[in-house]
Amino acid sequence: MATPELSETYACVPSTERGRGILISGHPKTNSILYTNGRSVMILNLDNPLEVSVYAEHGYPATVARYSPNGEWIASADVSGTVRIWGTHSGFVLKKEFKVLSGRIDDLQWSPDGMRIVACGEGKGKSFVRAFMWDSGTNVGEFDGHSRRVLSCAFKPTRPFRIATCGEDFLVNFYEGPPFRFKLSLRDHSNFVNCLRFSPDGSKFITVSSDKKGIIYDAKTGDKMGELSSDDGHKGSIYAVSWSSDGKRVLTVSADKTAKVWEISDAGNGKLEKTLTSHGTGGVDDMLVGCLWQNQHLVTVSLGGTISLFSASDLDKSPVILSGHMKNVTSLVVLKSDPKVILSTSYDGVIIKWIQGIGYSGKLQRRENSQIKCFAALEDELVTSGFDNKVWRVSIKDGQCGEAEAIDVGSQPKDLTLAALSPELALVSIDSGVVLLRGSSIVSTINLGFTVTASVLAPDGSEAIIGGQDGKLHIYSINGDSLTEEVTLEKHRGAISVIRYSPDLSMFASGDLNREAVVWDRASREVKLKNMLYHTARINCLAWSPDNTKVATGSLDTCVIIYEIDKPASNRLTIKGAHLGGVYGLAFTDDFSVVSSGEDACVRVWKLVPQ
C-alpha cells in the first residue's frame, strides 16, 4: 500500500476567554509564533501558515509558551501550575518539568541569559510569582507584594536585572536581584493591569490596563516617565502590548476592537501613529485580546480567535487573515463539485471553508449561530442540527449563507443525511426512529421500535440503512413517504456510530462503539471485509476513497486507520496520534488524500504515498 505523510495542517486558533487577554510570543530570530489551545502548544510559521507543529504533552490545558533567548528551548505552562521545558528540534524532547505555582500560570518569561524563568498567575496564599533556575528549579528570590492573581511578568533584558509584575490588585511591582527582592509598588492604574513588557534595549517598560491607560516607566528605577496619549486612545480595556524590535514603537490591542501603533519618545510619552482595524462582523468576537510585534509582522488575536497579520512597513495594507476552529472539529465535508474545498464545523457553531493547498479561505456566517452537532452540505445548501430539536436548512450563494429555515423534528437529531441526487429529501434519525423531510416540511415521522444511533440515506432516496443501539443494521426501502424493512444485518457487538455508502453504491461500511468496522456488499448483503478491529476505542467517523478501493476510520483513540477493500484488514495503514483527544471528522479529497479533524480543533491533510 502506501505510507501516510502529513502534508498540511490547518491550525486551530488560540483559546480565548471573555474579559481576559492572552499572551502570545515569538521566536527570537525567525517568524515562528507560539500560542496555546486546549492541551496543545501551537508553533505557527507566519511566512507559511500551513507549516505548523504541535506540542501535545501537557496533561492540562496549556496557557502560555515562550522561546528561550537562543531559540533552542520552549518553556510552556498550564492551568495546573506546571512548567515544561522542551527542545525545539527532533521530537520536542522534554528537558525538565516543574510544579511552579498551585494554580493557573498566566505568563512566564526567560531571563536574557537564558538561565532563569519567572512565572506568575494564580496561587494559594501569597505565592503568585516564582523565579527559578531553568535547569534545577531552585528558587531565585522572594516575591511578596501582590494580594491577587498576577497576570503578567517580565525580565529586564539588560543588566542590572530586574523583574516587574502586575495583576488584578491594580499594582505594578518591581523587584531587584538576583536573588530577587521586593523594591517598590507602583499604584498608577485604577483597574486590572493586564500586561507589562520591557523595551528591547532595557531602558523602559510599559504597562497596560483595563482602565484604558498605558503607562511608561524607567526600567532601572521604576520611576514613571509618561503615558500613551489619551487623545484617540483606546475606549475599552487594553489587554496586551508588544514593542517593535527597535524599541521606538508599541502595539496595543483592546476590547474596543482596535489595535493601535504608538510612537514612544525618548522621554517616554506615546503618540498615536495608526489605528488598525480588521474587517469583522462587529460582534463581541471582534474584541482584540492578544498581540505581538514579530519582526515585520504585527499580529493581533480577536476573542473569536481570528489572527490578523499587518505589515510593519506598510500599516495601510490590508491584513492577512488566518482563522480556524477553537473547539473540537466534529465534522468534515468535501464538496463533490470541487473536492479541494473542505467545509469543517465545530460544535460551537463555527463553519470554516478550507482550500487544499491554500488553507483558510473564510468563515460561513449563519444568521442563527446555533450549536452544531450534525452537519451535511451540498454545493448550494447546508443542513445542520444542534441540541435544540431543530434542523436548519441554510442556502448558500456565492460562498455566503443566505436564508435559513428551521424545522422542529420534536426530538434531538442523532444523525442526518441528504439524498445527493434529490437533495430536497433528508433523513434525520432521532432516538425512537426517523423523520423524513422534503424541503422544509416533515413528510413522516416513523417510530421504528428500537433506539436509533446512526443512519444514512441512499443518494437517489430509495433506501435507508439505520443502525441501532443493539448493534443491528436495518435496511429499509423508501417508497413515497413510507419505509419498508427489507432485512436486518447482525455482525456488530456495539451500538452503531456511523454508516456510509461507497461512492459507486456497490458497498457500504459501518462502525460501532465497540471499536469495530465492517464493509458490506450491498447486493448480496454479505460481509465483504471483516476483522477491522484495530482501534482501541469507539469509532467516531469513516470515509470512502472516491475510487471505492479504500475505507478510512477515525476513533477516540486518536488514530486514523485506512483499509484496502481487496486486501485483508491486517494490511491496514495506521496514522497514530492524528488528533490529540480523538478523531471526529474524516473525508477523502482524492484517492490518495485523507482529511481528518478532531478534538484538538485542527484539520490535517494526509497524503498516501504509493510504495
Side-chain angles (χ1 to χ4, degrees), residues 188-249:
D188 298 309
H189 286 292
S190 58
N191 206 326
F192 289 3
V193 191
N194 294 313
C195 181
L196 111 184
R197 292 290 176 254
F198 282 91
S199 61
D201 65 1
S203 66
K204 7 178 151 33
F205 69 93
I206 183 168
T207 59
V208 295
S209 157
S210 294
D211 64 9
K212 310 173 191 160
K213 279 196 202 161
I215 301 180
I216 295 129
Y217 298 93
D218 182 297
K220 210 163 159 185
T221 61
D223 296 337
K224 179 175 168 181
M225 295 172 74
E227 296 193 19
L228 298 182
S229 153
S230 55
D231 306 339
D232 308 321
H234 282 295
K235 308 279 185 289
S237 300
I238 306 178
Y239 285 126
V241 60
S242 184
W243 291 86
S244 62
S245 45
D246 63 6
K248 292 185 176 7
R249 298 188 285 175

Side-chain angles (χ1 to χ4, degrees), residues 101 121 123-129 143-148 150 175:
L101 297 177
K124 303 266 189 315
K126 286 262 191 259
S127 49
F128 302 105
V129 185
F143 294 87
D144 8 328
H146 281 290
S147 57
R148 292 186 63 185
V150 176
Y175 302 86

